[in-house]
Amino acid sequence: MTEDSASTGGVTRRVRVVLVDDHRMFRTGVQAEIGETERTGVEVVGEAADVDQAVTVITATRPEVVLLDVHLPGGGGVEVLRRCAPLMGAVEDPVRFLALSVSDAAEDVIGVIRGGARGYVTKTITGTDLVDSVFRVQDGDAVFSPRLAGFVLDAFASTDAPPVDEDLDRLTQREREVLRLIARGYAYKEIAKQLFISVKTVESHVSAVLRKLQLSNRHELTRWATARRLI
């Protein structure tokens, strides 16, 4: 921890945190690692496993910092950020988001930063460094795992607006999730289980994606996604 977040006589600062991750065991591990408030100054005030739960818990508890996984049932971390935009933009006591994900893909990093997250760290981070990152985000700093900062710098280095992929923009967040999993070779049943939706819903999303992208089958879809480095 930083010197201003703790002292030798005990923790002098507090930060209220919500954990958002669809794996209960991971949330339990993070809670055990950083949630001993008297030692770390971190008070975990809520948990959530999907987008709807996250929005409900964050709105109810108004934490200073949310530790947000990128891939969540219901639309992903970007959808949580979109729906919590008023809380992030509050003049007094804004809610700040720190992405905590197993993914180190440039697309995921840039997506949540554009969505309003203040930083992005991977799940290889130590408990001590995670606590430090939470306090830094509470202070309004931007925090990144070392390699990931380069993605953000590259993405925002140009003064020109980033290129817009009009085809991709036609898809909803859930359709993009299904597209990515189809392109990775997942069967409909596997996708349904991972996204907590029915096989019929998966089929509907695939049909919508094929229609919007004017593609004929999943093989063309895979080539399309590969060409855009979405896999």
Side-chain angles (χ1 to χ4, degrees):
M1 257 184 298
T2 56
E3 291 181 359
D4 63 343
S5 61
S7 68
T8 55
V11 174
T12 60
R13 288 181 59 186
R14 294 285 189 274
V15 57
R16 299 170 67 254
V17 171
V18 164
L19 304 178
V20 181
D21 193 286
D22 60 340
H23 293 94
R24 182 180 59 82
M25 289 185 65
F26 179 76
R27 297 197 310 272
T28 300
V30 173
Q31 168 81 289
E33 188 73 24
I34 73 172
E36 189 180 331
T37 308
E38 293 305 313
R39 175 177 61 85
T40 65
V42 175
E43 179 186 3
V44 177
V45 297
E47 299 182 14
D50 59 35
V51 170
D52 288 340
Q53 287 180 16
V55 174
T56 298
V57 171
I58 293 165
T59 302
T61 59
R62 294 294 295 264
E64 282 91 20
V65 177
V66 177
L67 287 175
L68 179 68
D69 193 10
V70 174
H71 300 295
L72 295 167
V78 171
E79 180 64 13
V80 175
L81 292 164
R82 185 187 69 80
R83 291 169 59 179
C84 290
L87 299 179
M88 287 190 286
V91 176
E92 295 185 5
D93 302 321
V95 177
R96 295 188 168 100
F97 287 78
L98 173 62
L100 174 62
S101 177
V102 69
S103 171
D104 60 358
E107 180 191 45
D108 289 335
V109 178
I110 294 166
V112 295
I113 297 305
R114 283 182 172 151
R118 295 294 305 173
Y120 195 116
V121 294
T122 61
K123 290 180 178 180
T124 57
I125 192 170
T126 66
T128 300
D129 287 343
L130 182 57
V131 170
D132 183 66
S133 297
V134 166
F135 275 103
R136 288 171 60 192
V137 167
Q138 181 192 26
D139 289 336
D141 293 343
V143 179
F144 296 94
S145 292
R147 193 173 75 87
L148 307 186
F151 295 153
V152 180
L153 291 174
D154 290 343
F156 293 95
S158 173
T159 56
D160 298 328
V164 175
D165 189 327
E166 294 182 359
D167 290 334
L168 190 60
D169 285 347
R170 293 191 185 101
L171 306 182
T172 66
Q173 182 66 31
R174 176 46 60 88
E175 287 169 352
R176 295 187 194 193
E177 292 178 343
V178 172
L179 161 67
R180 187 177 287 107
L181 293 173
I182 284 288
R184 289 175 178 172
Y186 283 76
Y188 285 6
K189 287 184 179 180
E190 294 172 321
I191 296 172
K193 183 177 181 180
Q194 183 158 336
L195 299 182
F196 298 93
I197 57 179
S198 69
V199 173
K200 186 175 181 180
T201 300
V202 173
E203 293 173 349
S204 296
H205 285 313
V206 172
S207 296
V209 170
L210 292 173
R211 184 182 70 253
K212 290 179 180 181
L213 300 181
Q214 298 182 357
L215 301 174
S216 301
N217 52 56
R218 67 182 297 163
H219 300 295
E220 291 183 1
L221 187 152
T222 299
R223 288 197 298 270
W224 188 92
T226 302
R228 286 163 173 77
R229 299 181 181 179
L230 299 179
I231 299 180

